Amino acid sequence: MALNDPNATPWWRDAITYQVYVRSFADSDGDGVGDLAGITSRLPYLRDLGVDALWITPFYPSPQHDHGYDVADYCDVDPLFGDLAAADELLATAHDLGLRVVVDLVPNHTSSEHPWFRAALAAGPGSAERARYLFRESPDGPPNNWGSVFGGPAWTRVEDGQWYLHLFDTTQPDLDWRNPEVAALFEDVLRFWLDRGVDGFRIDVAHGLFKESGLRDQVLPASGDGHTGSMVERRLNDEPMWDQPEVHDVYRRWHQILAEYDGDRMAVAEAWTQTPESMARFVRPDELSQSFNFGWLLAEWSATAFADVIHGTLTAMAPVGAAATWVLSNHDVARHASRYGGGERGLARARAATLTMLALPGSAYIYQGEELGLPEVDVAPEHWQDPASLRTGQKGRDGCRVPIPWSGTSAPYGFGPGTGQPWIPQPDEWAALSVEAQQGRAGSTLEFYREALRARRRYALGAGDDVRLDDEPRDVLTVRRGPLTVVLNCGATPVPLPDGDVLISSGRLEDGKLPADTAAWLQTGR
Ligand code: NOJ
Ligand code: MG
């Protein structure tokens, strides 16, 4: 297929993208932290797994207070992870193997060590340097009642008495996107990485760049009426700091920049919007390519919850003509095997939800280690690293960021050439979960993922965009997509399968029936 054929489906519309959390994927130099050369060395593994692309979390110079989401220089590589030559090598090797590469862009905030923020502090109140961020005078306490996502107030006071806004950590000051210098900086950053050959961008906090002007107080929900985060439930929060209409002009501009380049360059929004309709606004035809569908990840283990999200997503996407995306795990949430209850049952459910996801039209994201069935790790408080934990004293996101076990029987399980524990310690019982232990072992989660990704290419990709959901019974989700039927049993007892040939299942069938916590694909004819 010609790369620039306007009639061809762009590669990302039905891609499987594998999320690499750079610090925890593979360590080439034995310092206990993953790096770019480590990723490059493991690219053949990703090709053999059967994914189309990888998204790499931020590897730019950063004091690492939020593990790279606090960027001090958008156009370089942190020495912890390598250098620009290592990034070029990674890109070239990935492309040789037929893999696309998506990098992370963090436009909502910089690190407090970014030259712009240092200059803002040095230049003082009223300066052009301060006008790139959201500094405010407010003698009697913070300028408004906004809270940081990581806990505590969203404002920090500097020596001269002004306050600056940070929706995340104190070390992550929010930029003022109403200042044209900010927009200009990020256009240059996009071009810098596009010129180096990246295939796309994952846009961090894509719904956050603009705040309602005036920075008024947020109307907080009455207690007991909190928004649950579920996109299915329609009690919306008042959110003057998120999802403002002005942000869409930025994405229209970025759309044009991406279109100047060959090869279907793309961008995917990390936008925790409150409804599927607001998610769809980010992927209107002249805006971004994709938006993560967090409704799928937030759905509880229930056939009706999954059905609601599938229906809500496809209904919201249809008018804008965008393809859906699906995701169950990432570096910010507890791993889905543990979310669904943990242990054998949690893993069975995780495999079943994954198999269901892989049948749906659009594209899906998988997070490193889910193909090994890794559980959320209960990291001991003395090893906590997540800035949210450091602000709140609560368990945070470290448990899904434990380095990958590749081989061997003790830490670091082939993660790197070192002998000790990596930056977050790995559990003693991970030997059986390593890539080496699961490779070629029938029934292992790794072999299941490989088989499922093969089955997806063979049976799901050509099955069309038309999806029908059967109504009954309540505990069973039945999705029909062309000749492909997917059945997911969220109930407690085995259920009979519809007529048809079973193509793949997430666990063993029992006397031809689909056991609890299991999914199967069938070829049923139209
Ligand atoms: C979302 C990222 O996924 C998360 O890891 C980070 O802490 C925040 N954005 C702030 O950049
Ligand atoms: Mg390293």
Side-chain angles (χ1 to χ4, degrees):
M1 178 195 321
L3 274 184
N4 242 353
D5 176 355
N7 298 318
T9 306
W11 65 270
W12 44 263
R13 256 187 104 90
D14 52 18
I16 299 295
T17 301
Y18 183 98
Q19 180 191 352
V20 171
Y21 189 72
V22 56
R23 296 177 63 92
S24 301
F25 187 60
D27 173 22
S28 72
D29 57 4
D31 65 355
V33 180
D35 44 49
L36 296 186
I39 300 174
T40 305
S41 73
R42 295 295 186 181
L43 289 173
Y45 167 79
L46 296 185
R47 181 213 38 210
D48 295 345
L49 181 61
V51 302
D52 303 293
L54 58 154
W55 145 37
I56 310 173
T57 57
F59 48 77
Y60 318 110
S62 159
Q64 301 287 319
H65 292 301
D66 191 18
H67 304 119
Y69 285 98
D70 46 332
V71 179
D73 178 354
Y74 291 90
C75 297
D76 205 347
V77 173
D78 196 294
L80 182 64
F81 303 126
D83 54 18
L84 282 172
D88 291 341
E89 169 87 19
L90 192 166
L91 278 166
T93 311
H95 289 158
D96 283 350
L97 293 170
L99 294 165
R100 312 273 182 159
V101 180
V102 173
V103 298
D104 221 307
L105 186 73
V106 188
N108 180 67
H109 45 264
T110 69
S111 159
S112 51
E113 293 189 19
H114 190 282
W116 272 12
F117 195 72
R118 289 170 179 250
L121 290 185
S127 60
E129 287 82 355
R130 282 217 177 167
R132 294 164 175 155
Y133 294 90
L134 291 157
F135 279 88
R136 290 293 181 272
E137 299 285 349
S138 184
D140 305 324
N144 68 24
N145 70 349
W146 298 1
S148 151
V149 173
F150 292 165
W155 294 92
T156 290
R157 196 164 205 178
V158 300
E159 265 178 27
D160 52 54
Q162 283 206 325
W163 300 81
Y164 68 88
L165 178 73
H166 53 87
L167 292 175
F168 296 89
D169 192 49
T170 321
T171 60
Q172 293 168 297
D174 281 57
L175 288 160
D176 185 355
W177 269 85
R178 297 180 194 276
N179 182 334
E181 279 187 71
V182 173
L185 170 76
F186 283 95
E187 292 185 10
D188 290 347
V189 174
L190 284 173
R191 289 182 196 283
F192 177 87
W193 290 104
L194 288 166
D195 289 339
R196 288 200 107 80
V198 305
D199 299 286
F201 299 91
R202 176 263 188 194
I203 315 293
D204 188 62
V205 199
H207 60 320
L209 315 193
F210 282 83
K211 287 71 181 164
E212 198 177 300
S213 55
L215 307 182
R216 66 169 174 87
D217 275 355
Q218 176 178 27
V219 180
L220 297 168
S223 67
D225 187 31
H227 174 63
T228 59
S230 156
M231 294 213 292
V232 179
E233 198 173 330
R234 293 306 182 89
R235 276 180 295 159
L236 298 189
N237 273 349
D238 175 48
E239 294 190 332
M241 66 290 281
W242 306 123
D243 206 4
Q244 301 299 307
E246 294 93 325
V247 78
H248 296 287
D249 290 335
V250 175
Y251 300 136
R252 289 192 187 101
R253 178 76 195 117
W254 290 6
H255 180 101
Q256 291 169 0
I257 294 175
L258 294 172
E260 287 169 26
Y261 288 78
D262 62 0
D264 291 329
R265 313 292 177 106
M266 59 81 73
V268 53
E270 186 227 13
W272 288 86
T273 62
Q274 297 195 61
T275 63
E277 289 74 26
S278 52
M279 171 175 74
R281 284 200 285 274
F282 288 79
V283 290
R284 286 177 285 197
D286 58 348
E287 295 197 38
L288 300 177
S289 322
Q290 299 180 331
S291 187
F292 290 129
N293 184 3
F294 292 122
W296 182 244
L297 170 156
L298 292 168
E300 62 182 42
W301 176 259
S302 127
T304 45
F306 288 132
D308 279 351
V309 178
I310 294 172
H311 179 73
T313 303
L314 298 178
T315 306
M317 289 296 159
V320 295
T325 67
W326 310 97
V327 59
L328 289 167
S329 279
N330 66 32
H331 66 294
D332 291 330
V333 297
R335 288 185 172 279
H336 61 287
S338 298
R339 277 201 328 265
Y340 295 146
E344 273 181 37
R345 190 171 78 168
L347 180 57
R349 290 177 171 183
R351 289 167 54 141
T354 299
L355 189 61
T356 306
M357 166 173 95
L358 293 178
L360 298 173
S363 138
Y365 284 79
I366 59 184
Y367 176 49
Q368 66 179 37
E370 67 172 78
E371 80 279 19
L372 304 175
L374 296 188
E376 185 74 2
V377 175
D378 192 8
V379 176
E382 63 269 26
H383 295 298
W384 287 354
Q385 315 254 357
D386 182 349
S389 301
L390 307 181
R391 281 176 76 87
T392 60
Q394 310 275 313
K395 196 195 292 186
R397 300 167 294 175
D398 299 306
C400 63
R401 299 176 174 182
V402 177
I404 296 298
W406 290 94
S407 59
T409 53
S410 61
Y413 298 105
F415 171 62
T419 47
Q421 282 283 10
W423 72 288
I424 302 178
Q426 298 161 309
D428 289 338
E429 62 282 358
W430 268 19
L433 294 178
S434 75
V435 171
E436 182 184 56
Q438 297 196 40
Q439 196 129 259
R441 184 159 61 75
S444 73
T445 301
L446 176 57
E447 291 303 335
F448 162 70
Y449 265 71
R450 287 182 175 156
E451 190 192 338
L453 290 169
R454 270 198 306 272
R456 173 182 163 88
R457 278 178 207 280
R458 186 147 170 214
Y459 302 109
L461 288 190
D465 285 345
D466 213 34
V467 167
R468 275 186 303 127
L469 302 173
D470 285 10
D471 289 341
E472 301 290 335
R474 284 185 60 230
D475 287 338
V476 180
L477 174 75
T478 304
V479 184
R480 299 181 191 270
R481 181 179 174 198
L484 182 65
T485 296
V486 183
V487 189
L488 168 67
N489 186 357
C490 296
T493 50
V495 295
L497 284 166
D499 288 338
D501 295 335
V502 176
L503 302 169
I504 177 173
S505 58
S506 64
R508 245 187 239 126
L509 301 186
E510 277 172 25
D511 302 327
K513 287 186 167 176
L514 185 69
D517 307 320
T518 310
W521 290 11
L522 294 95
Q523 186 134 38
T524 44
R526 293 200 182 248

